[in-house]
Amino acid sequence: MNRIAIYPGSFDPPTRGHEDLIRRALTMVDRLIVAVAINPSKEPLFTVEQRLAMLAEVTDHDPRIEYASFHGLLADFARERDATIVVRGLRAVSDFEYEFQMAMMNRKLHGSLETVFLVPAVDLTYLSSSLVRTAARFGGNLDGLVHPSVAAALATRYGR
Ligand code: COA
């Protein structure tokens, strides 16, 4: 059985939390599509191409991973790619309501798409891309929070 899962997100930028989740997901599926969602209402720090390149770098260009981007509905993208699983992380109770609604909506839109929630490493549960961006903008220490290549990209982006 060829189990294909999608791990969707903004990944602006990818953090050690995302890497941790990708590693955990790879223990359960044959192929993982790490998919950058193109959201016209968000103004990202990094372009889609930069985020895809960073994701490939931080995961060592793992051959089990496909790095993709998508417009529109996740349910449609999953159908297009024959993916049957959506992987999402639950960092804290505060993530639950939003994630639960999204999982229900995705099930309504695509009846055989299952959402699987993974729990990240405990020391990464507070992490988010916007916290990383804020810390980077003001020269904060990002050791342990992002891959060195992401830290370098943030430093360049903020002119440090
Ligand atoms: N470690 C660290 N940070 C994490 C994390 C983890 N394991 N999991 C989530 N986060 C952070 C992200 O960095 C991001 O941080 P920020 O808001 O501070 O930048 C935040 O949590 C939101 O996570 P993200 O995974 O990027 O989700 P999102 O809310 O931006 O996007 C999509 C979620 C892309 C999956 C969803 O919007 C989507 O599917 N869009 C397509 C349209 C659609 O089909 N919608 C659903 C049905 S209508």
Side-chain angles (χ1 to χ4, degrees):
M1 191 170 172
N2 195 19
R3 232 181 253 279
I4 305 172
I6 299 183
Y7 178 32
S10 306
F11 305 109
D12 188 37
T15 68
R16 288 291 194 200
H18 296 125
E19 292 172 43
D20 174 65
L21 226 72
I22 290 170
R23 260 192 305 275
R24 290 174 198 281
L26 283 172
T27 64
M28 302 186 310
V29 300
D30 302 300
R31 203 150 67 81
L32 183 66
I33 303 173
V34 178
V36 174
I38 300 172
N39 182 348
S41 63
K42 271 193 180 178
E43 236 179 66
L45 182 65
F46 292 106
T47 65
V48 171
E49 291 71 27
Q50 286 172 322
R51 283 177 274 162
L52 288 172
M54 282 190 263
L55 283 163
E57 172 85 21
V58 303
T59 55
D60 275 333
H61 300 261
D62 192 309
R64 293 167 298 172
I65 302 177
E66 182 190 339
Y67 307 90
S69 61
F70 71 102
H71 281 283
L73 293 176
L74 177 63
D76 291 339
F77 182 64
R79 221 178 259 116
E80 235 171 69
R81 298 304 183 99
D82 289 326
T84 53
I85 300 168
V86 173
V87 173
R88 294 286 291 170
L90 274 187
R91 289 163 299 171
V93 179
S94 51
D95 282 344
F96 179 77
E97 205 168 307
Y98 171 64
E99 293 295 339
F100 187 73
Q101 281 182 327
M102 207 158 61
M104 288 303 187
M105 190 63 183
N106 283 329
R107 179 176 288 164
K108 167 79 183 146
L109 295 168
H110 182 339
S112 50
L113 187 62
E114 291 297 341
T115 301
V116 171
F117 294 110
L118 297 179
V119 179
V122 68
D123 54 326
L124 298 171
T125 49
Y126 65 94
L127 201 51
S128 75
S129 297
S130 53
L131 284 180
V132 162
R133 290 195 300 272
T134 304
R137 185 183 316 137
F138 299 108
N141 180 5
L142 298 178
D143 285 357
L145 305 184
V146 296
H147 188 278
S149 61
V150 173
L154 282 162
T156 304
R157 186 68 182 73
Y158 286 121
R160 293 186 174 274

